[in-house]
């Protein structure tokens, strides 16, 4: 597998193999020296046209733990602000010998363009493109669910995951729905009608307008950020009203089964889609999601650049 552009690039076996590799690589974090020589001499470019905290830092940490050379490129402060195109930026990276390009871009499809244009020869990993996909976020979420609820073993068959909020603008929701379905989980999307995308009836999931109906049998509840920066219209009356109808507060968390976990990809709008006491509660795995992002992105880079046969081989 050369590129990771969509969660749909992974069938069940490939997704489980990548999660198994991440489990082995997660053990590196407990060693005194958190480094493997696996990608020594390879160059990974983090090409970020949109802001990021978690994804950019964890891809950088992941590449460094695998001993790759890392170049961080942010559109702000680069020649992109002078009008340089994606093509010319890509040709510059190719001239510098990039073996992998991790790209975040505001335009849906930009990673596909990079992967299939012939501008670069290396692997392309999608770190979030517009409102389209964020496949490594879906992988780290699946890893987190599997670690919390399935002892790091196998797929997620039979688990119920409820994803709540601004589905319309969420690449996380799309990638998670695809990957969780691939892994056998049952997904329910919950949102006001104004925050559901056209065609959602064709996604492999159920859809509800009521959060209260979708909590009682959920094994994991994933809250989505209200993406104000992508909203050029009025999608709900007020944030207070949105929070009242769709926010996860302590009363709603009490409706979840005792074993169920609370997730959020971050960054959070505390007090809007998730109450602060819920985000900080023992049932929240939001910090673990960030930790797991490093292991999963190590596994993704290893798989794209090194060729994973098995998890134990990766961590040897
Ligand atoms: N979850 C996520 O993509 O966070 P960042 O925007 O901080 O990378």
């Amino acid at each position: 597998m050369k590129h990771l552009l969509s969660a749909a690039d992974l069938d069940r076996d490939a997704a489980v193999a990548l999660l198994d590799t991440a489990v082995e690589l997660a053990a590196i974090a407990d060693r005194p020296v958190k480094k493997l020589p696996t990608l020594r001499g390879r160059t990974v470019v983090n090409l970020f046209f949109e802001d990021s905290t978690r994804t950019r830092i964890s891809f950088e940490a992941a590449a460094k733990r695998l001993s790759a050379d890392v170049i961080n490129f942010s559109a702000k402060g680069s020649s992109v602000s002078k009008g340089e195109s994606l093509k010319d930026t890509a040709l510059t990276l190719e001239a510098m010998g990039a073996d992998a390009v991790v790209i975040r871009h505001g335009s849906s499809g930009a990673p596909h363009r990079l992967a299939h244009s012939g501008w670069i020869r290396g692997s392309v990993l999608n770190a979030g493109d517009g409102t389209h996909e964020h496949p490594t976020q879906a992988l780290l979420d699946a890893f987190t669910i599997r670690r919390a609820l399935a002892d790091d073993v196998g797929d997620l068959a039979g688990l119920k995951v409820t994803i709540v909020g601004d589905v319309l603008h969420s690449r996380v929701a799309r990638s998670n729905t695809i990957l969780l379905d691939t892994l056998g989980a049952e997904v329910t999307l919950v949102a006001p009608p104004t925050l559901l995308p056209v065609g959602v009836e064709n996604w492999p999931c159920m859809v509800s307008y009521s959060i209260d109906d979708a909590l009682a049998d959920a094994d994991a509840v994933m809250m989505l950020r209200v993406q104000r920066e992508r909203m050029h219209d009025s999608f709900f009356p007020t944030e207070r009203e949105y929070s009242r109808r769709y926010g996860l507060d302590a009363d709603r968390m009490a409706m979840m089964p005792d074993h169920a976990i609370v997730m959020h990809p971050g960054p959070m709008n505390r007090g809007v889609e998730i109450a602060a006491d819920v985000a900080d509660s023992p049932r929240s795995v939001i910090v673990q999601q960030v930790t797991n992002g490093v292991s999963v992105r190590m596994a993704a880079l290893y798989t794209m650049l090194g060729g994973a046969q098995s998890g134990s081989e990766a961590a040897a």
Side-chain angles (χ1 to χ4, degrees):
M1 184 171 177
K2 183 172 179 185
H3 306 298
L4 181 58
L5 305 175
S6 162
D9 293 340
L10 300 162
D11 61 18
R12 183 219 173 257
D13 288 348
V16 170
L18 204 148
L19 296 176
D20 288 345
T21 300
V23 170
E24 298 295 334
L25 292 169
I28 306 297
D30 300 327
R31 295 183 186 174
V33 179
K34 299 177 178 49
K35 229 171 164 76
L36 291 171
T38 316
L39 297 184
R40 188 182 291 152
R42 317 294 290 277
T43 299
V44 174
V45 177
N46 286 325
L47 180 59
F48 278 65
F49 293 86
E50 264 192 355
D51 294 344
S52 168
T53 298
R54 282 149 286 272
T55 310
R56 191 182 60 74
I57 290 173
S58 63
F59 261 116
E60 181 175 355
K64 285 180 173 170
R65 284 189 189 174
L66 294 172
S67 301
D69 295 320
V70 180
I71 297 172
N72 289 315
F73 174 102
S74 167
K76 281 179 196 147
S78 77
S79 289
V80 171
S81 59
K82 300 176 198 163
E84 187 160 42
S85 66
L86 179 62
K87 176 178 179 177
D88 288 326
T89 304
L91 292 175
T92 302
L93 301 179
E94 176 67 12
M96 290 180 182
D99 295 295
V101 177
V102 176
I103 178 171
R104 170 168 290 191
H105 202 287
S107 299
S108 301
H112 285 75
R113 184 87 174 111
L114 201 59
H116 300 301
S117 60
W119 300 333
I120 59 167
R121 281 171 291 181
S123 295
V124 176
L125 291 91
N126 182 357
D129 61 328
T131 58
H132 180 227
E133 285 232 30
H134 195 350
T136 59
Q137 178 70 45
L139 281 163
L140 77 87
D141 291 337
F143 181 97
T144 303
I145 295 169
R146 199 173 78 145
R147 177 148 281 196
L149 302 173
D151 293 329
D152 280 337
V153 176
D155 60 21
L156 303 179
L159 290 178
K160 292 184 168 62
V161 181
T162 297
I163 302 176
V164 185
D166 182 1
V167 178
L168 179 66
H169 300 104
S170 177
R171 50 201 179 203
V172 174
R174 187 189 306 272
S175 288
N176 259 295
T177 302
I178 294 168
L179 185 67
L180 289 167
D181 176 65
T182 298
L183 290 169
E186 293 173 29
V187 179
T188 301
L189 297 177
V190 179
T194 50
L195 288 176
L196 286 168
V198 172
V200 72
E201 63 277 8
N202 298 320
W203 292 24
C205 61
M206 290 170 284
V207 176
S208 171
Y209 302 141
S210 168
I211 183 172
D212 294 333
D213 292 347
L215 293 177
D217 65 349
D219 297 296
V221 176
M222 187 184 302
M223 303 307 296
L224 299 173
R225 183 169 68 89
V226 173
Q227 299 198 34
R228 298 184 186 99
E229 76 278 15
R230 296 192 205 276
M231 290 186 181
H232 307 296
D233 214 335
S234 180
F235 292 92
F236 44 80
T238 62
E239 282 191 352
R240 189 184 166 93
E241 173 69 2
Y242 177 87
S243 185
R244 192 178 69 75
R245 294 279 308 273
Y246 290 96
L248 186 63
D249 60 13
D251 289 342
R252 285 203 167 111
M253 189 168 68
M255 295 165 67
M256 294 163 47
D258 290 343
H259 69 274
I261 56 174
V262 174
M263 308 177 74
H264 193 302
M268 289 182 274
N269 296 309
R270 287 174 180 253
V272 182
E273 70 266 5
I274 188 166
D277 55 347
V278 173
D280 298 332
S281 79
R283 304 180 69 171
S284 163
V285 294
I286 295 167
V287 174
Q288 289 95 309
Q289 286 175 263
V290 177
T291 303
N292 296 337
V294 178
S295 310
V296 162
R297 287 171 177 132
M298 287 173 77
L301 287 169
Y302 176 76
T303 302
M304 302 306 129
L305 289 174
Q309 300 300 313
S310 70
S312 51
E313 183 183 306

